[in-house]
Amino acid sequence: QVQLVESGGGLAQPGGSLTLSCAASKFNLDYYAIGWFRQAPGKEREGVSCISSSDGRTYYIDSVKGRFTISRDNAKNTVYLQMNSLKAEDTAVYYCAARRPPCGLGAIWYDYWGQGIQVTVSS
């Protein structure tokens, strides 16, 4: 009934760009903070970015600041992650997730998760 679906992943060259989308069904994203997470094989899931529900404030992990931008379109019930200047280290499965406010980059407090989408950065 509650569903988050990621799209827009795939293969990019180093220095290239990709935009990920997270579309919500059966609930209204207006009331939730939305986070993006990623997980590479054999590594822990890492919080990448979050956008708040109330004032639109955004948060980023240091390794993506200046390269990634999170945004939301409440009319479309969709959140985006624009990824520029991609590096090989960005290769991972990316997940979007929803939680009650406030924003945070810890996975434990997120209630709803997408199934993930592969992003591969390689020459």
Side-chain angles (χ1 to χ4, degrees):
Q1 291 176 328
V2 176
Q3 188 174 32
L4 295 169
V5 179
E6 301 95 339
S7 62
L11 177 66
Q13 295 185 352
S17 298
L18 288 171
T19 299
L20 304 182
S21 298
C22 175
S25 299
K26 306 299 183 181
F27 73 103
N28 191 344
L29 284 182
D30 296 3
Y31 305 119
Y32 293 87
I34 306 299
W36 285 96
F37 295 79
R38 65 187 182 187
Q39 188 166 22
K43 296 186 178 180
E44 297 292 323
R45 188 167 297 188
E46 176 184 42
V48 175
S49 184
C50 184
I51 185 165
S52 69
S53 62
S54 57
D55 58 10
R57 291 184 66 182
T58 58
Y59 304 86
Y60 303 91
I61 193 169
D62 285 345
S63 62
V64 308
K65 287 181 179 177
R67 300 191 297 119
F68 291 10
T69 302
I70 190 170
S71 62
R72 67 193 302 157
D73 185 338
N74 288 337
K76 296 182 178 180
N77 227 23
T78 300
V79 171
Y80 305 94
L81 185 68
Q82 175 68 48
M83 304 184 294
N84 297 323
S85 301
L86 284 164
K87 305 175 180 179
E89 305 92 89
D90 297 316
T91 296
V93 175
Y94 283 71
Y95 301 85
C96 66
R99 58 167 282 176
R100 294 300 182 101
C103 253
L105 295 179
I108 190 171
W109 298 114
Y110 284 80
D111 299 304
Y112 307 112
W113 291 82
Q115 67 181 8
I117 190 165
Q118 180 71 44
V119 171
T120 301
V121 183
S122 176
S123 59

